Amino acid sequence: MIRNYLKIAWRNLAKSKVYSFINVFGLAVGMAVAMMIGLWINDEMSANKHHANYATLYQVKMHQTFDGRRGTQDALPYPMGEELKTKYPDFKAVAMCDWGSTRSLVVGNQKFLKYGHYIGDEAIDMFSLKVKNGDKNPLKEPYSIVLTEETAEALFGKQDPVGKVVRVDNTMNLKVTAVVEKQPKNATLQFDYLLPWHLQEKVYDWIAKFHKTNWGNNSHQTYVQLKDGVTPEKTNAKIKNVVLDHFKDNELMQKSIKPEVFIHSMSEWRLYSDFTDGKPSGGFIKYVKLFGIFGIFVLVIACINFMNLSTARSEKRAKEVGVRKAVGSARKQLISQFLSESILIAVMALLVAIVLVAISLPYFNKLTEKLMTIQFGNPVFWAIILGFTLFTGLLAGSYPALYLSSFNPVKILKGGVHVGKSASLPRKILVVIQFTFSIVLMIGTAIIYQQVQHAKNRPIGFNSQGLISVEWSKDLGDNFQSVQNELLASGVVSSICKSNSPPTDIYSNNSGWEWKGSTPEDKSAIFNTIATNFDYVKTIGVKLKEGRDFSREFSTDSTGVILNEAAVKRMGLKHPVGEMVKWNGQNRQIVGVVSDVMMESPYRDIRPLTIVFEKDWVNFINIRINPNVSSAQAIKRIQPIFDKYNPGFPFSYKFADSEYLKKFNYEELIGNLAAIISILAIFISCLGLFGLASFMAEQRRKEIGVRKVLGASVANLWGLLSKDFVTLIIISCAIASPIAWYGMTQWLNDYTYKIDIGVGVFLLVLVVALIVTLMTVSYQAIKAALANPVKSLKTE
């Protein structure tokens, strides 16, 4: 029976090739989009699940209140790890970790910049890192280094690296104790190398002197593994005051800041990382849900095509249904027959969809910066795909099967089935639903684009053109004066300065500031902090509003500070230049005020900033290229100077304007994905509209013939055939607009610097939708209008 159904289904498909192509290809594109989104969602949902201890791994976080706002942070005090390990039995393992940095790794003539971490020795087992070669506990020795396979091969080629020495930052020789497998791209912990946590105490004097027992400096990360049977709720209750207990005599900490420590499950790191007022508020999961909905939208649009085209052809299938019922076919058998056709189309569409996904996946990976693959050898993949195909076939074929099988055989065989306005109403409803989905996507894409452009056009407050930054090293520190002199003498550099953060980011923020008229509670106010010395304002290109830059002519500038406008406003200072302020008990004089500069998120308010004079708090050298010299020419002249004084490092630099543009990558990715999905949704909708228009034109060919004989023009007939579709699109826009407005308003609530959604975007999308619709149906409408009326009426 099934074989017979499939044979008849194949004959029907072969008989109507255009109809079959539209159905198969439209459904294939919808399925391909749904599959691609499914792969992307699976990659996001499976982040970190490769870790064997996934269910018991947590990151320690802390809530604190600064300036009346409850915030949540990953940065914790240096002694946190030792405290948790020795005083709290809930933990099976504890590992401290830094934020990661790029270091120079040198072996012979091989010299690379690689990214890695200082991390606790228990991290190897905690994160179930696969040791391919070497010691199973490789971070016990202080002067050791762990490499990934790729890093080991880059440095040593095919040689066994274990036991060999790597020169790191041209300051220390470390022995390779193990080679581990590189982490998947969707893992939180990413690295090319790992260094022992306690090595820091031997390398940096300030770690041993200041950080080892300092509970007020939050600069490090802490990961823990709970023992079996221990619940996070109980552990949170125990460790809640682990920081606060070290400030029992500090009234500000006890009453205002009130630090509260807790653990955050690995299962939530990727998708549920946001906190608002000390409470979980979601995170990237909103985009997973959003694109999941988009995928369903596109698939439903493709299924609606099938439904519409199948019911539109009802007159052609009516006699078949009548004859089958007359010879004894039950309605169940007819439903089975029509569902067999839809499932056959779904299977054919699946094959085309897999080809489309295979072709598109490399480009999709590049766009999303992922390494997704189609897992052809995975039985679970095929089970999901076949179930997905069966579901799609049943969804697409359910309405046509029920509709066609309901025809009365007596009426059909007497004079056929006549489709009136009531019969076409379901098709019109489906078209409205289809285009409502598409228009919602179009409006959403347009608003995302507007928001990104709005942020890009925001004044950044400094000159990012021709500004580069180079990471600091000990060799550069020892030779900074020579480097500076030779760079300025080269003629390609106009200014140089040192700082603790690059021009497009801020690495530090601090409380503890006091000023004239401040209250004890004001000491909890958070100020962004940039540490620098001479020529910072000149080099970065920040606009001075009052006062001056730090100058060698004033010895008192060694305890000076420059404020931005937001800091002046927060302090309530009317004439700030010359005023004295205190930072952690030390007096500092305000020497200048600069305009607000955009160095953090372009979607957020600019925060108060203090630029403090510090000689030794340095992470970067910032270089202003002479505007009369091309960047390429300048780099050629600059590189030999760095090679001369920084021989242990390959010359590496970053342009400030390029780095600033990276701040938009995330939103642009979301916008690009939404745009692609919108275009495909409209394409699928128009594909169905094209097929539907051809059937409607065929259905009304006699009416068109009569109208032509009576004098109707081609334009009149085109308008007649097009107006129904135009009406449906206007209705779709009317329904889609409030839905899109609500959804995008919720999305924009995450930004403090945002656009106001105006009526223009809705009118623009309406116009675009109408143009696309008219272009789609015009071919069939004009073709029908130009047809010879004699041929249409000769049977009458």
Side-chain angles (χ1 to χ4, degrees):
M1 183 68 74
I2 294 175
R3 182 181 176 185
N4 185 52
Y5 286 162
L6 293 175
K7 186 184 292 185
I8 295 171
W10 177 257
R11 286 174 181 171
N12 278 320
L13 291 175
K15 191 187 301 180
S16 305
K17 293 182 176 60
V18 173
Y19 152 81
S20 301
F21 171 79
I22 291 173
N23 257 341
V24 171
F25 191 69
L27 204 54
V29 173
M31 292 173 76
V33 172
M35 287 169 65
M36 297 276 273
I37 292 175
L39 287 172
W40 182 79
I41 290 175
N42 178 66
D43 188 84
E44 294 294 338
M45 298 292 286
S46 62
N48 295 315
K49 286 187 177 178
H50 64 287
H51 294 296
N53 302 315
Y54 176 78
T56 56
L57 280 177
Y58 295 81
Q59 182 173 17
V60 184
K61 291 177 176 267
M62 181 166 61
H63 303 307
Q64 292 192 98
T65 302
F66 290 106
D67 217 7
R69 296 180 181 178
R70 194 71 169 164
T72 304
Q73 63 191 58
D74 303 337
L76 298 168
Y78 188 93
M80 177 65 75
E82 196 64 31
E83 182 97 348
L84 295 180
K85 192 182 299 184
T86 55
K87 295 185 179 180
Y88 296 90
D90 291 20
F91 303 111
K92 183 177 181 179
V94 178
M96 294 295 291
C97 184
D98 72 354
W99 294 97
S101 58
T102 302
R103 299 182 183 279
S104 170
L105 306 185
V106 179
V107 174
N109 295 324
Q110 302 298 320
K111 188 190 305 182
F112 297 98
L113 288 175
K114 294 292 183 180
Y115 175 81
H117 300 270
Y118 281 106
I119 198 166
D121 59 279
E122 292 181 300
I124 300 294
D125 288 332
M126 281 175 61
F127 288 96
S128 56
L129 303 180
K130 294 180 181 178
V131 178
K132 309 295 288 187
N133 188 16
D135 194 340
K136 298 299 180 184
N137 192 1
L139 293 171
K140 277 286 187 184
E141 300 178 31
Y143 289 96
S144 61
I145 184 170
V146 174
L147 306 176
T148 62
E149 291 175 289
E150 289 82 354
T151 305
E153 186 174 348
L155 290 169
F156 295 98
K158 299 300 181 183
Q159 298 179 52
D160 182 1
V162 175
K164 292 186 170 60
V165 173
V166 177
R167 182 77 172 165
V168 178
D169 283 351
N170 206 29
T171 58
M172 52 188 172
N173 293 322
L174 303 180
K175 185 175 73 173
V176 179
T177 52
V179 175
V180 299
E181 192 175 276
K182 190 172 179 65
Q183 292 289 282
K185 198 138 178 106
N186 63 352
T188 297
L189 183 66
Q190 295 289 338
F191 60 89
D192 299 310
Y193 68 86
L194 295 174
L195 302 177
W197 179 251
H198 293 297
L199 175 60
Q200 294 178 98
E201 297 171 22
K202 300 180 182 298
V203 175
Y204 307 114
D205 292 340
W206 49 270
I207 290 284
K209 288 180 182 178
F210 305 111
H211 279 204
K212 199 168 182 181
T213 57
N214 186 353
W215 283 89
N217 184 288
N218 300 307
S219 304
H220 310 281
Q221 299 181 89
T222 309
Y223 298 104
V224 297
Q225 181 182 355
L226 290 183
K227 290 180 178 178
D228 294 338
V230 177
T231 63
E233 291 78 16
K234 289 183 178 179
T235 301
N236 283 335
K238 293 177 184 178
I239 69 171
K240 177 180 179 180
N241 295 322
V242 66
V243 172
L244 193 60
D245 288 344
H246 288 272
F247 294 92
K248 290 182 178 178
D249 299 326
N250 189 314
E251 187 176 351
L252 181 67
M253 291 290 284
Q254 293 288 333
K255 292 186 176 180
S256 296
I257 297 177
K258 296 180 287 189
E260 179 184 342
V261 177
F262 69 102
I263 56 175
H264 188 228
S265 172
M266 177 179 266
S267 62
E268 298 180 340
W269 291 359
R270 179 76 171 181
L271 302 177
Y272 298 91
S273 58
D274 292 351
F275 290 82
T276 303
D277 296 326
K279 296 180 181 179
S281 58
F284 197 74
I285 186 63
K286 66 184 177 184
Y287 290 109
V288 172
K289 291 178 178 177
L290 178 66
F291 282 101
I293 292 170
F294 283 1
I296 293 171
F297 276 11
V298 175
L299 190 61
V300 168
I301 288 169
C303 291
I304 287 174
N305 275 356
F306 183 94
M307 296 177 187
N308 268 339
L309 293 177
S310 296
T311 54
R313 295 179 69 247
S314 57
E315 284 193 57
K316 290 184 175 294
R317 303 294 299 272
K319 288 183 180 179
E320 176 191 342
V321 172
V323 171
R324 285 178 174 275
K325 281 193 170 185
V327 297
S329 290
R331 189 180 182 192
K332 285 184 179 179
Q333 291 176 309
L334 290 168
I335 291 173
S336 299
Q337 167 63 46
F338 293 125
L339 287 178
S340 298
E341 286 187 26
S342 65
I343 291 172
L344 177 61
I345 289 175
V347 170
M348 294 170 66
L350 171 66
L351 299 176
V352 177
I354 290 175
V355 172
L356 292 174
V357 171
I359 294 170
S360 305
L361 198 54
Y363 304 100
F364 190 59
N365 278 335
K366 185 176 180 180
L367 176 66
T368 58
E369 297 182 350
K370 291 184 178 293
L371 293 173
M372 298 176 290
T373 57
I374 305 175
Q375 300 175 1
F376 289 113
N378 188 344
V380 176
F381 167 78
W382 287 109
I384 292 172
I385 285 297
L386 292 176
F388 167 70
T389 305
L390 182 62
F391 169 78
T392 304
L394 292 174
L395 176 66
S398 57
Y399 176 68
L402 294 171
Y403 177 71
L404 293 170
S405 63
S406 66
F407 289 165
N408 187 316
V410 176
K411 290 183 178 179
I412 292 169
L413 295 176
K414 277 186 175 181
V417 59
H418 298 287
V419 182
K421 289 186 178 180
S422 59
S424 65
L425 182 61
R427 285 203 301 278
K428 291 180 179 179
I429 292 172
L430 289 173
V431 169
V432 168
I433 294 171
Q434 191 179 42
F435 271 90
T436 297
F437 288 162
S438 300
I439 290 167
V440 166
L441 291 174
M442 290 172 66
I443 294 171
T445 302
I447 291 173
I448 292 172
Y449 174 80
Q450 285 183 333
Q451 171 66 4
V452 171
Q453 294 305 309
H454 180 64
K456 278 187 174 182
N457 294 331
R458 186 179 188 181
I460 64 174
F462 69 97
N463 182 10
S464 63
Q465 300 293 319
L467 179 62
I468 66 172
S469 58
V470 178
E471 289 199 37
W472 187 256
S473 72
K474 185 179 182 302
D475 288 343
L476 287 175
D478 294 340
N479 298 285
F480 179 73
Q481 195 60 54
S482 298
V483 172
Q484 184 178 38
N485 291 339
E486 290 195 27
L487 286 173
L488 292 173
S490 70
V492 300
V493 172
S494 59
S495 183
I496 305 164
C497 72
K498 299 185 286 187
S499 65
N500 70 322
S501 57
T504 56
D505 208 347
I506 294 176
Y507 285 0
S508 179
N509 52 71
N510 295 274
S511 59
W513 286 91
E514 300 174 77
W515 55 90
K516 186 172 64 177
S518 65
T519 65
E521 288 73 23
D522 284 329
K523 289 182 72 175
S524 72
I526 285 286
F527 290 80
N528 285 342
T529 305
I530 294 175
T532 184
N533 49 29
F534 304 112
D535 299 326
Y536 182 81
V537 172
K538 177 183 177 182
T539 303
I540 303 301
V542 182
K543 184 179 180 181
L544 265 173
K545 305 292 287 187
E546 296 180 51
R548 56 177 173 79
D549 198 352
F550 295 126
S551 171
R552 293 173 179 83
E553 297 177 9
F554 298 88
S555 60
T556 55
D557 278 4
S558 60
T559 56
V561 61
I562 297 172
L563 307 179
N564 73 343
E565 293 173 291
V568 172
K569 183 178 179 181
R570 175 62 187 87
M571 293 179 176
L573 303 176
K574 293 183 178 179
H575 305 288
V577 175
E579 291 272 5
M580 297 298 294
V581 294
K582 277 187 178 182
W583 184 30
N584 294 326
Q586 182 189 44
N587 285 320
R588 287 183 177 266
Q589 185 179 42
I590 301 172
V591 301
V593 176
V594 297
S595 60
D596 287 337
V597 288
M598 180 55 58
M599 292 180 173
E600 296 183 292
S601 170
Y603 303 101
R604 306 288 177 206
D605 290 334
I606 295 175
R607 297 198 290 180
L609 169 68
T610 55
I611 304 173
V612 297
F613 190 99
E614 292 285 342
K615 291 182 68 175
D616 301 320
W617 188 2
V618 183
N619 294 314
F620 293 90
I621 296 177
N622 305 302
I623 301 169
R624 169 69 61 185
I625 294 174
N626 188 329
N628 298 318
V629 179
S630 71
S631 296
Q633 183 182 351
I635 295 299
K636 285 182 181 179
R637 298 284 297 276
I638 292 170
Q639 180 169 352
I641 298 172
F642 277 89
D643 289 343
K644 176 182 176 181
Y645 292 106
N646 199 32
F649 287 72
F651 180 57
S652 178
Y653 57 90
K654 292 179 179 178
F655 277 94
D657 52 355
S658 299
E659 291 300 300
Y660 185 77
L661 288 177
K662 290 180 181 179
K663 295 178 182 291
F664 303 96
N665 285 357
Y666 184 72
E667 279 72 18
E668 285 183 332
L669 167 62
I670 300 301
N672 289 337
L673 288 174
I676 291 168
I677 294 170
S678 299
I679 291 169
L680 291 173
I682 286 292
F683 170 76
I684 296 168
S685 299
C686 290
L687 202 62
L689 209 60
F690 181 85
L692 199 59
S694 68
F695 281 112
M696 288 185 68
E698 184 181 347
Q699 191 181 55
R700 301 177 71 175
R701 67 186 184 280
K702 289 188 174 73
E703 176 192 347
I704 292 169
V706 171
R707 288 180 179 273
K708 284 199 75 172
V709 169
L710 295 175
S713 66
V714 172
N716 294 144
L717 295 172
W718 172 78
L720 176 72
L721 293 171
S722 302
K723 71 175 183 180
D724 286 346
F725 293 107
V726 169
T727 302
L728 296 179
I729 300 307
I730 292 173
I731 294 171
S732 297
C733 273
I735 297 171
S737 293
I739 297 172
W741 177 86
Y742 175 79
M744 296 314 296
T745 299
Q746 298 302 308
W747 180 73
L748 287 170
N749 283 340
D750 288 341
Y751 305 98
T752 53
Y753 187 79
K754 58 189 177 183
I755 62 168
D756 294 320
I757 302 176
V759 70
V761 67
F762 301 102
L763 294 175
L764 175 64
V765 170
L766 172 61
V767 170
V768 171
L770 288 173
I771 291 172
V772 170
T773 301
L774 290 173
M775 289 174 64
T776 303
V777 302
S778 287
Y779 171 76
Q780 295 295 344
I782 294 172
K783 180 182 175 183
L786 292 173
N788 188 340
V790 176
K791 292 183 178 180
S792 302
L793 300 173
K794 66 180 180 180
T795 57
E796 292 297 319

